[in-house]
Amino acid sequence: MDEALLRSLTPSVLGILVRRGADFAAAEDAVQEALIEAVRTWPADPPRDPKGWLVTVAWRRFLDATRADTARRRREDLVDEEPPPGPAPAVDDTLQLYFLCAHPSLTPSSAVALTLRAVGGLTTRQIAQAYLVPEATMAQRISRAKRTVSGVRFDRPGDVATVLRVLYLVFNEGYSGDVDVAAEAIRLTRQLAARVDHPEVAGLLALMLIHHARRASRTAPDGSLVPLAEQDRGRWDTGAIAEGVRILQAALARDRLGEFQAQAAIAALHADAPTAEQTDWVQIVEWYDELVLLTDSPVVCLNRAVAVGEADGPRAGLAALAALDDALPRHTAVAAYLHERDGDVVTAARLYAEAARKAPNLAERDHLTRRAARLNSARRSR
């Protein structure tokens, strides 16, 4: 990868986007995303026209972001413009829109994708990343879903499970920092919990509350990521954690375990530990075992490998990791962490650098790059 070429092209590409009508800040974000994509794809498939490639990808990223922002603002404007129906309070129908977009004529995965795009305000790229599929594949899936429902009446709402999946993915995008919609996802899940008496709805609400309680400690003042083990637990919102735990305990008492309850139980164990060293990793592994049975998700298996590495030692974690597809997102970062814990700093530094090149966002890329640099610096100073 010719980094000098990328640096030399950046001002020109940025200027082209601004001349096309993009405001400078949005153009900068779009160009940065295009550069990340270039770092990821060019080594294997270098373009014939690097500048043209960067302009095309950056402009697409800008349009996706603009459309999502316009859709959100339009929904907000419509709410503001709607006259109140007499003396009755205004009705928030956002949750109803989620149910209607999760139409019975769609498969669950297509309904989730369509709802995230049409109501959740997420871009096609963000939805594709959540589903671990190429952006083009997700674009086709959303297009098919639109065609499927184009001739039907939206008078038959979808099921709760599909709406829960949508809310979970919207929250994850907000929590990652790419789109600030986590609080909105919590608000809608509270509404759903008030409307539907189901332990998985309660489990999702508990999971959101516990995760959101840690948000203030997830980034340093300079914007860099702070890993869970290094976070200032004094900054966690203990009130939100306590509420989440109460909701989770009531849900688990109903003995109808689901994936969101299991995830919330793992989050509660992290929140309950006074320090990272006092985390009950053995019990966390047990909950991950339950979660694997419930979901058979490769991402869950990846997270379980980390937990095994903490509970039984890094070599046990590496053994669990070896059974998984190394193409999984963040697989390389997990391998780097486990090798570092095992004392193999040379391998860990190399893997951190490799993981940085694959990172889905700038904050994560910078975090992994710093970890690689720290290990290399420590090794040279010996």
Side-chain angles (χ1 to χ4, degrees):
M1 169 57 58
D2 191 342
E3 295 185 3
L5 174 62
L6 288 178
R7 285 195 297 271
S8 68
L9 291 174
T10 297
S12 176
V13 174
L14 183 59
I16 291 172
L17 263 64
V18 171
R19 287 195 296 273
R20 286 186 178 184
D23 67 84
F24 190 80
E28 275 192 317
D29 290 342
V31 171
Q32 285 299 317
E33 291 192 19
L35 292 174
I36 293 172
E37 185 69 10
V39 170
R40 188 180 70 82
T41 61
W42 283 13
D45 185 21
R48 294 181 180 178
D49 179 8
K51 180 178 177 180
W53 188 98
L54 285 172
V55 170
T56 299
V57 173
W59 185 248
R60 287 174 181 169
R61 296 293 188 266
F62 167 74
L63 290 178
D64 277 345
T66 300
R67 288 169 184 147
D69 186 60
T70 301
R72 285 194 300 275
R73 293 188 183 197
R74 181 56 183 158
R75 288 195 300 274
E76 293 168 357
D77 290 342
L78 288 174
V79 171
D80 292 338
E81 295 166 3
E82 185 70 24
V91 176
D92 178 4
D93 61 356
T94 306
L95 187 60
Q96 184 62 20
L97 288 176
Y98 274 69
F99 272 97
L100 292 176
C101 283
H103 198 272
S105 63
L106 297 172
T107 63
S109 61
S110 294
V112 170
L114 178 61
T115 312
L116 288 170
R117 189 72 180 93
V119 186
L122 273 62
T123 66
T124 302
R125 177 178 57 84
Q126 290 166 331
I127 301 169
Q129 288 175 346
Y131 270 90
L132 309 181
V133 299
E135 183 176 348
T137 300
M138 183 52 65
Q140 292 173 355
R141 183 179 300 177
I142 294 172
S143 295
R144 285 196 300 269
K146 289 178 179 178
R147 289 196 298 271
T148 299
V149 299
S150 62
V152 302
R153 289 174 56 85
F154 280 85
D155 56 358
R156 292 186 299 151
D159 64 3
V160 172
T162 300
V163 174
L164 281 178
R165 178 62 52 188
V166 173
L167 290 170
Y168 173 67
L169 292 174
V170 169
F171 176 81
N172 279 346
E173 282 300 330
Y175 190 66
S176 74
D178 293 333
V179 182
D180 190 12
V181 292
E184 173 68 359
I186 292 174
R187 185 184 72 85
L188 293 174
T189 306
R190 284 190 186 279
Q191 288 187 6
L192 185 60
R195 181 186 302 183
V196 178
D197 182 22
H198 193 287
E200 271 294 82
V201 177
L204 178 58
L205 179 57
L207 175 65
M208 289 179 174
L209 289 170
I210 296 170
H211 274 316
H212 204 60
R214 302 199 299 256
R215 185 165 190 176
S217 64
R218 292 183 71 246
T219 54
D222 62 0
S224 60
L225 293 180
V226 180
L228 176 60
E230 301 170 19
Q231 289 176 14
D232 178 0
R233 299 182 179 224
R235 299 183 65 196
W236 290 0
D237 184 345
T238 55
I241 291 172
E243 182 187 5
V245 170
R246 285 196 304 271
I247 293 171
L248 172 64
Q249 289 173 337
L252 292 174
R254 300 176 67 174
D255 198 24
R256 293 167 58 190
L257 183 64
E259 63 171 298
F260 294 125
Q261 295 169 74
Q263 287 192 55
I266 293 169
L269 286 168
H270 282 297
D272 185 57
T275 66
E277 294 73 23
Q278 293 173 278
T279 303
D280 189 347
W281 286 106
V282 172
Q283 194 171 353
I284 287 175
V285 171
E286 292 174 355
W287 276 110
Y288 269 120
D289 289 340
E290 294 284 353
L291 198 51
V292 169
L293 291 175
L294 289 165
T295 67
D296 194 29
S297 163
V299 175
V300 170
C301 293
L302 186 67
N303 292 334
R304 178 185 178 277
V306 176
V308 169
E310 298 290 352
D312 301 327
R315 295 192 179 182
L318 287 167
L321 189 65
L324 305 178
D325 184 354
D326 60 9
L328 274 173
R330 298 186 173 87
H331 184 285
T332 308
V334 170
Y337 172 73
L338 291 172
H339 277 290
E340 180 184 1
R341 293 257 290 118
D342 195 37
D344 185 354
V345 295
V346 175
T347 301
R350 175 178 58 80
L351 290 173
Y352 276 132
E354 181 183 339
R357 293 191 292 270
K358 303 175 182 177
N361 56 64
L362 285 172
E364 190 169 330
R365 184 190 69 181
D366 291 346
H367 169 70
L368 294 167
T369 301
R370 280 193 292 270
R371 292 190 78 96
R374 176 178 56 80
L375 292 181
N376 284 327
S377 177
R379 182 164 56 88
R380 285 193 296 267
S381 64
R382 289 178 181 174

